Amino acid sequence: MTQIAKGIQKITLGNPENHTPESFRRHRMQKEIIDQLPVSKKNDDILKRMEWQISKRGITITLPMNTQENIYGFGLQLHSMNHAGRRRYIKVNSDPAADTGEGHAPIPFYISTAGYGIYVDTFRYTTFLAGTNAERGRSRAMTEENMPHEEFSESALYSLKKATEERRMVIDIPSADGVTFYLFEGTIMEIVQRYNLFSGGGCLPPMWGFGVWYRMYGGSCERDVRNFAAMFRKEQMPIDVLGLEPGWHSHSYSCTYKWSHLFPNPDKLVEDMKKAGYKLNLWEHVFVYPRAPFYEELYPYSGNYEVWNGLVPDFATEEACRIFQKYHTEQFVKKGIAGFKLDECDNSDYNPSNWSFPDSTQFPSGMDGEQMHMAIGTMYQNLIFDIYKAENKRTYSQVRSSGALASPLPFVLYSDLYNHKQFIRGIVNSGFSGLLWCPEVRDCRNGDDLLRRLQTVIFSSHALINSWRIPNPPWKQTDIEKNLAGEEMDTAQYYTDECRKLFELRMKLLPYLYSAFVEYHKTGKPPIRALIMDYPQDSQAETIDDEYMFGESLLVCPLTYEDGTSKTIYLPEGNWHHFFTKETVKGGRYMEIQAAYHEMAVYVKDNSIIPLAAPVQHVEKDTVFELYPSIWGNGDMTFTLYEDDFETFDYEQAQSKVTIRFESGKGLKIERNGSGPHRYHFTGLT
Ligand code: GAL
């Protein structure tokens, strides 16, 4: 056992495997910052009482767990938030229909409210039995018996099977005869910060990435893209990024990475879109079709199974990374493509036909299919990130699978599963494990459902409308069949106007969101997170999985279409100001709120400054945002903005801190420090 930084212990048991998330890490631990973080809570007992054993099936670690302990984390979990008393299978799965722990980005990292977090450095499908089991003999002294027949009830019957005494966390790692794991100490927030800083710090996307994204219909051609680009500007719908879906490849499943006949002049398209202020993002996946230009070169560096007739690259070899990177750099990144959507890397083995490779697949690096399923999404992100880094451009991209130590990677997760409540829970949970999650707008039952989903998207890390199934924007027609037939809804104008208002709201919040990400980058504090992270003493916050903090001061309570126009929400202790009506309410209680479909429940923490920008249609290289600092409360308050070029890595040398200070009685003061370019202009106080 070694202390590698303040509040982080490294424990190695037996002989760990060669291929683990740490063995592929590209970002170094931010030790200097971790050492400055306090350890406000501790658990001295946990390692002393650890037990472990190695058997033929793998290694098992047992840690003590008390009955009061809550367990959070385990990556992107869509079905539940507190995992105490549950069994979690950490296995990548594109269709996590039940609450098993599987999902697009399961991570062997959890946080306990007892003052510690555990990260197990493995790609194995690890099982965490979070207080579900006890060893033989521990119940020997139990004496309770069933109720007499006349008092029989189901609940009485089942209550007797529950253990009430101290439990255990059993961590079961198959196929390995050793493992390294890490223990992080502190409060929930400090543990998450430590984990993110251990991973290399949070990512810092370019400002344009926070603008609104529109993914085009899968069968769109060059002309459609040009028409949409012109239409959005004409209709004043702020959009920064246009995404191209499978139809841009000459063969998509698996990929050729070559433009199809639908795009005869791609270079010109990229150039013209750039002039019109749009970034282009390309859909792709890793499986390489025989007609791909680098197929033969890649062949020796791929696994011994195919997916959709395509090679599965072994990104654990330098050669496979180099081949992929060289092609992507020359053909796309140097030509101005701003990012990628890395689809289908999440073990789609629940679909018919060959959607994925077997766990027994052998790769030239020595990795097997099981490890590769857990690794491929992160490896893919790393190699794309490295291309942009080498070009001194920041990207903001999408990925359908991620894993451990991914905090520095500017990629947002998404899914085809489409339950709005689960999407909201995804926002809450992803913040525990260094992940970003997009509750994308895709199919909607009707216009009001569209508004509800878009409201959540606006208050997420990625404002995306994914229209890959519909040739016309959803605000013109939500019914897929009618959309395909080109029919507009009677209410198209109303929903267009309401969606525009939401897009503009997103654009107003850009500088505020950018600050939250700079702080994520520097301190590991997640930009979007569960209430329990900010209010650890509040027992009500322990299980709130449908509200979250968006940056430092905004508390978002999204409503779904199914909720209708009223909902019971919870606000922690203190005064809160309704972001839209400005009404002040007292927290520390549940309350019933009303919100028509075009209205939202967003609250500002008392004594906060929210800098609001005059909405621009898109972010340019030299956009200067007109800022109105809005003041919420009567006390003293500050807000820190960060100015840099918003799109390259030069912020590492040139970034300014702009502090807005409000002192009651004295008014507002703005102080600028640093050598970053001026990107904010203050026009007033609201
Ligand atoms: C899905 C993906 C969708 C869309 C589609 C295109 O797997 O999740 O967003 O890109 O592929 O075929």
Side-chain angles (χ1 to χ4, degrees), residues 215 245-246 253 283 341 343-344 355 400 414-416 440 442 466 468:
R215 299 209 73 92
E245 286 287 311
Y253 285 79
W283 175 99
K341 168 174 171 180
D343 207 21
E344 307 290 2
W355 280 64
R400 230 177 58 185
Y414 63 96
S415 173
D416 275 336
E440 67 177 39
R442 203 188 60 207
N466 182 7
W468 79 275

Side-chain angles (χ1 to χ4, degrees), residues 3-69:
Q3 163 135 358
I4 58 157
K6 184 172 158 194
I8 307 185
Q9 313 284 340
K10 174 178 182 177
I11 302 101
T12 298
L13 306 173
N15 300 309
E17 294 186 286
N18 289 337
H19 297 111
T20 71
E22 262 229 275
S23 73
F24 292 107
R25 71 146 69 224
R26 304 276 235 277
H27 298 88
R28 84 179 170 86
M29 170 171 78
Q30 303 291 308
K31 182 173 180 329
E32 321 72 56
I33 309 172
I34 297 171
D35 288 344
Q36 285 166 25
L37 285 179
V39 177
S40 313
K41 196 165 178 180
K42 256 179 136 25
N43 187 321
D44 294 325
D45 210 29
I46 186 105
L47 290 180
K48 283 188 215 136
R49 294 179 50 207
M50 169 183 76
E51 290 165 15
W52 58 286
Q53 72 178 52
I54 293 175
S55 71
K56 261 196 203 154
R57 51 164 283 114
I59 174 163
T60 306
I61 306 168
T62 308
L63 298 167
M65 203 183 138
N66 66 51
T67 43
Q68 309 306 319
E69 229 168 301

